[in-house]
């Protein structure tokens, strides 16, 4: 199960809602992925919802990641300012996620070529996976092919990195 803006009624994070989702999943954190979109504002990354137009009260930082991790198996972070633009990844955010996260985390936003897979791996010390969206040929893009991603993943020594 992937949960997103449901956790933010009236743009405020609700730990009670998160706990309720987990109870509905028989308290099996392995069944839950938390999906957060964020926008950079004032040097911070704030969780955004409603087509990234509404900023919530939650900052994406070490404290919020530490709060969320016990409730899920993975965190998915969308850098909304980069999403769909193929303008490059948010290197600082990827680096921070590599420092903050102890559970699997996938970053989305701005990937534009196959080298971004290696860049994310390097910036995060191998702790962050990358999803490639609009640049990927199977989604109508022309700068990355699905086959290139598969080859890159197979070259990694048993690690699973994002397509």
């Amino acid at each position: 199960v992937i949960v997103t803006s449901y956790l933010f009624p009236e743009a405020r994070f609700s730990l009670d809602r998160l706990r309720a989702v987990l109870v509905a999943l028989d308290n099996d954190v392995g069944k839950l992925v938390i999906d957060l979109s964020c926008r950079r504002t004032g040097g911070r990354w704030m969780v955004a919802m409603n087509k990234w137009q509404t900023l919530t009260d939650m900052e994406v930082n070490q404290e919020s990641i530490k709060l969320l991790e016990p409730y899920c198996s993975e965190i998915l972070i969308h850098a909304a300012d980069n999403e769909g633009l193929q303008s490059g990844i948010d290197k600082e955010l990827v680096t921070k996620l590599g420092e903050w996260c102890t559970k699997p985390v996938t970053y989305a936003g701005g990937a534009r070529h196959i080298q971004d897979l290696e860049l994310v791996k390097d910036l995060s010390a191998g702790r962050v996976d990358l999803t490639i969206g609009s640049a990927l040929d199977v989604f109508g893009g022309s700068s990355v092919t699905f086959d290139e991603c598969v080859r890159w993943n197979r070259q990694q020594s048993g690690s699973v990195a994002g397509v």
Side-chain angles (χ1 to χ4, degrees), residues 11-64:
R12 295 190 179 282
F13 174 69
S14 170
L15 187 56
D16 289 340
R17 280 193 174 193
L18 179 54
R19 287 178 176 147
V21 169
L22 198 54
V23 166
L25 298 173
D26 297 322
N27 291 311
D28 184 350
V29 298
K31 293 180 180 177
L32 186 60
V33 174
I34 296 175
D35 181 349
L36 302 175
S37 293
C38 64
R39 303 217 49 180
R40 192 172 211 161
T41 178
R44 305 181 308 164
W45 295 279
M46 301 302 295
V47 174
M49 52 188 273
N50 298 330
K51 299 179 184 174
W52 308 327
Q53 301 305 305
T54 304
L55 296 180
T56 71
D57 65 343
M58 179 177 272
E59 180 179 352
V60 175
N61 58 26
Q62 189 169 11
E63 293 77 28
S64 62

Side-chain angles (χ1 to χ4, degrees), residues 36-154:
L36 302 175
S37 293
C38 64
R39 303 217 49 180
R40 192 172 211 161
T41 178
R44 305 181 308 164
W45 295 279
M46 301 302 295
V47 174
M49 52 188 273
N50 298 330
K51 299 179 184 174
W52 308 327
Q53 301 305 305
T54 304
L55 296 180
T56 71
D57 65 343
M58 179 177 272
E59 180 179 352
V60 175
N61 58 26
Q62 189 169 11
E63 293 77 28
S64 62
I65 297 294
K66 187 177 258 189
L67 171 71
L68 297 172
E69 281 189 327
Y71 297 92
C72 64
S73 62
E74 182 175 347
I75 297 175
L76 173 58
I77 301 287
H78 294 266
D81 297 313
N82 302 55
E83 187 88 18
L85 301 177
Q86 299 180 42
S87 60
I89 63 165
D90 185 329
K91 295 175 187 173
E92 185 179 352
L93 179 56
V94 168
T95 301
K96 293 294 187 186
L97 292 171
E99 294 169 7
W100 298 334
C101 296
T102 61
K103 291 211 174 170
V105 59
T106 300
Y107 167 89
R112 57 185 166 192
H113 42 68
I114 193 70
Q115 293 84 357
D116 285 332
L117 287 167
E118 197 66 35
L119 177 60
V120 167
K121 180 181 174 184
D122 291 344
L123 289 172
S124 70
R127 294 185 185 109
V128 176
D129 291 329
L130 173 67
T131 182
I132 299 176
S134 59
L136 195 61
D137 63 343
V138 297
F139 297 125
S142 60
S143 54
V144 183
T145 69
F146 180 77
D147 289 339
E148 287 175 309
C149 292
V150 170
R151 269 193 306 279
W152 188 90
N153 278 290
R154 286 184 176 154

